[in-house]
Amino acid sequence: MASGQIFSRTTQALFYNYKQLPIQRMLDFDFLCGRETPSVAGIINPGSEGFQKLFFGQEEIAIPVHSAIEAACAAHPTADVFINFASYRSASASSMAALKQPTIRVVAIIAEGVPESDTKQLIAYARANNKVVIGPATVGGIQAGAFKIGDTAGTTDNIIECKLYRPGSVGFVSKSGGMSNEMYNTIARVTDGIYEGIAIGGDVFPGSTLSDHVLRFNNIPQIKMVVVLGELGGRDEYSLVEALKHGKINKPVVAWVSGTCAQLFKSEVQFGHAGAKSGGEMESAQGKNQALQEAGAVVPTSYESFETAIKETFEKLVEEGKISSVKEVKPPQIPEDLNTAIKAGKVRAPTHIISTISDDRGEEPCYAGVPMSSIVEQGFGIGDVLSLLWFKRSLPRYCTKFIEICIMLCADHGPCVSGAHNTIVTARAGKDLVSSLVSGLLTIGPRFGGAIDDAARYFKDAYDRGLTPYEFVESMKKKGIRVPGIGHRIKRGDNRDKRVELLQLFARTNFPSVKYMEYAVQVETYTLSKANNLVLNVDGAIGSLFLDLLAGSGMFSKQEIDEIVEIGYLNGLFVLARSIGLIGHTFDQKRLKQPLYRHPWEDVLYTK
């Protein structure tokens, strides 16, 4: 066990099992104390590496995250405190691993319920190697104005109220973390504050005892008096009694053992801590208080008079000239977190993203205001979901059915088209699904699958302006623009694209109006008189029919229709549909275990 001070203004810790709030509280305490460097050097999160962003005053900092204790200790050799926030199931193993690191001097175990046999092994190893264990079942400890462990001393307001941002003259040790917070406040009211405070934890076998820390305090010159808060149960306080009797402590000790009310109960009572139960007269609060008083400690008659006893002891030391007045300093203002300030109505902050199509903040996600459960219960299909997420409204069933037909008809067009070819070559190169899919999608454009928007745009403009098919086609020719949606590499006037015929049949049967489609057919009639391959292709069919869907449904204004065509909604339909086929080609090549593709020489014209 260390014989003197274990913390300082330069102490740094490794924090095991990331918890944002206690780490941020440590960093805020550092800022209050005017530390130059953060007290948390690194975080250990098994299986994770990288950085965690936190605040050091106004500055946002990145604290390294390590996956193993050994790696963290090697990376931060000056960090000698290990703060263990692991659960009781793994706290023992991780604490022992930390104790075995030569750079670690102090281990604080926060978890309650660590098996007693495991704790005994930790205690034995720590004592054999002159190391300190605080806990288990502890909130930790604090050196005022220098360093604190995790949630010790609670909120920033409490820390300021207790003047913990600067050192005082009192050493304090307790079993209870909660009572420590209360006592820090009590001590600050009647003295110049604490210099160091430790909560050893409430388990039956604490890693370090009350007397261990009182003996340390006796060797720290800045500590002029010691305050001890014990509790009934166990015999830890008697080691302090023996130390006092043998003259090992030469500073005033004010002590109180809580639990005197236990004598009012007829049977043994278990209080909050595992070790807080009386097993006989010696373990009773009355027995311990009497023994401490007989050994020379200042023991009040009740907890209510504990504060007075502390005050009188402190004032006596001041009168004797053993304690000089502490220079008061004003701690800096810790910047308030934005979320806290917003909730308190202190600031207004602009948002960075606007979303109108979905909301995941409630009990279940909503698509355009429709709860997920309603979508399932009403038997919505993919066309209905697409209408909600793309158009922010529920379209009539014939509209969503048309969307689904488009997706089915455009899902794939064989392995030879450019998109599928790219995907196949990429998959055979051993690339992953996303890479293979994207390589195919990148070929979609004006020459492959991306002409739906242009077809809709030009057909709509020509029809709305009252151009005849002849005027439309010839005006496009003069501009040097091919008519989008017209022409096919394989299909001819006498060998129509079956997909186009199916779409036209559905529209004529279900749509209230097909004026744009009929105009596209008239344009096809004129272009076929020019060449037999200038047929209406699937892009042109979908483009013109989508105009009829938007106009005929009565659910879109003219401005909305123009915006839908301009933004690229219709090409989005092809992208969505073709992704199905491209994913299929990727899986097909991987399932067949096809080797790397190399284009054959005989299919290349080598020329100068």
Side-chain angles (χ1 to χ4, degrees), residues 421 424-425 428-429 595-604 606:
H421 181 79
I424 289 170
V425 171
R428 289 178 61 165
L596 179 69
Y597 176 82
R598 192 180 195 281
H599 204 70
W601 289 336
E602 56 269 22
D603 196 35
V604 177
Y606 293 94

Side-chain angles (χ1 to χ4, degrees), residues 533-592:
N533 69 325
L534 296 181
V535 294
L536 182 67
N537 58 37
V538 72
D539 290 348
I542 292 176
S544 60
L545 285 171
F546 233 103
L547 290 173
D548 287 323
L549 181 152
L550 296 171
S553 67
M555 300 182 70
F556 300 89
S557 66
K558 182 181 183 302
Q559 182 180 355
E560 286 178 318
I561 294 173
D562 291 340
E563 185 178 55
I564 287 170
V565 174
E566 185 64 31
I567 287 176
Y569 275 58
L570 309 188
N571 278 353
L573 191 64
F574 183 84
V575 171
L576 173 64
R578 190 50 56 95
S579 293
I580 299 171
L582 298 179
I583 291 171
H585 283 296
T586 301
F587 290 154
D588 189 42
Q589 296 303 307
K590 291 185 177 296
R591 182 172 54 248
L592 296 171

Side-chain angles (χ1 to χ4, degrees), residues 350-548:
T351 56
H352 298 92
I353 293 176
I354 301 174
S355 177
T356 65
I357 65 170
S358 62
D359 191 336
D360 60 343
R361 294 172 297 176
E363 293 183 2
E364 59 178 322
C366 292
Y367 293 166
V370 180
M372 192 67 67
S373 56
S374 296
I375 291 172
V376 175
E377 290 166 3
Q378 296 179 38
F380 280 16
I382 190 65
D384 299 289
V385 171
L386 187 147
S387 74
L388 292 172
L389 292 176
W390 288 20
F391 302 109
K392 295 170 54 179
R393 66 203 75 186
S394 289
L395 297 176
R397 182 55 189 151
Y398 77 86
C399 296
T400 59
K401 180 64 175 177
F402 175 76
I403 291 171
E404 291 170 358
I405 291 173
C406 290
I407 292 173
M408 290 188 288
L409 296 181
C410 296
D412 192 52
H413 202 196
C416 298
V417 295
S418 57
H421 181 79
N422 263 24
T423 289
I424 289 170
V425 171
T426 306
R428 289 178 61 165
K431 299 291 284 185
D432 59 276
L433 170 63
V434 174
S435 299
S436 302
L437 170 62
V438 170
S439 70
L441 291 176
L442 287 173
T443 64
I444 295 175
R447 297 184 180 181
F448 170 63
I452 302 177
D453 282 317
D454 283 341
R457 189 176 298 114
Y458 282 112
F459 283 144
K460 183 177 186 302
D461 177 71
Y463 178 87
D464 291 349
R465 289 196 293 134
L467 298 180
T468 65
Y470 167 80
E471 291 171 334
F472 170 50
V473 173
E474 294 304 321
S475 66
M476 294 288 283
K477 182 178 179 181
K478 289 179 180 178
K479 297 174 185 176
I481 303 173
R482 294 186 179 187
V483 178
I486 295 291
H488 203 284
R489 293 182 64 103
I490 298 174
K491 297 300 178 181
R492 298 289 187 270
D494 54 356
N495 179 27
R496 300 295 180 90
D497 191 330
K498 189 66 176 177
R499 298 175 298 175
V500 173
E501 293 178 345
L502 290 169
L503 290 169
Q504 290 175 333
L505 176 62
F506 179 86
R508 287 192 173 106
T509 305
N510 296 280
F511 281 23
S513 169
V514 288
K515 62 181 182 181
Y516 288 108
M517 185 200 75
E518 295 296 0
Y519 182 76
V521 171
Q522 294 172 21
V523 171
E524 178 194 43
T525 302
Y526 179 75
T527 56
L528 281 174
S529 67
K530 299 280 188 179
N532 199 33
N533 69 325
L534 296 181
V535 294
L536 182 67
N537 58 37
V538 72
D539 290 348
I542 292 176
S544 60
L545 285 171
F546 233 103
L547 290 173
D548 287 323

Side-chain angles (χ1 to χ4, degrees), residues 604-608:
V604 177
L605 173 61
Y606 293 94
T607 184
K608 295 182 180 179

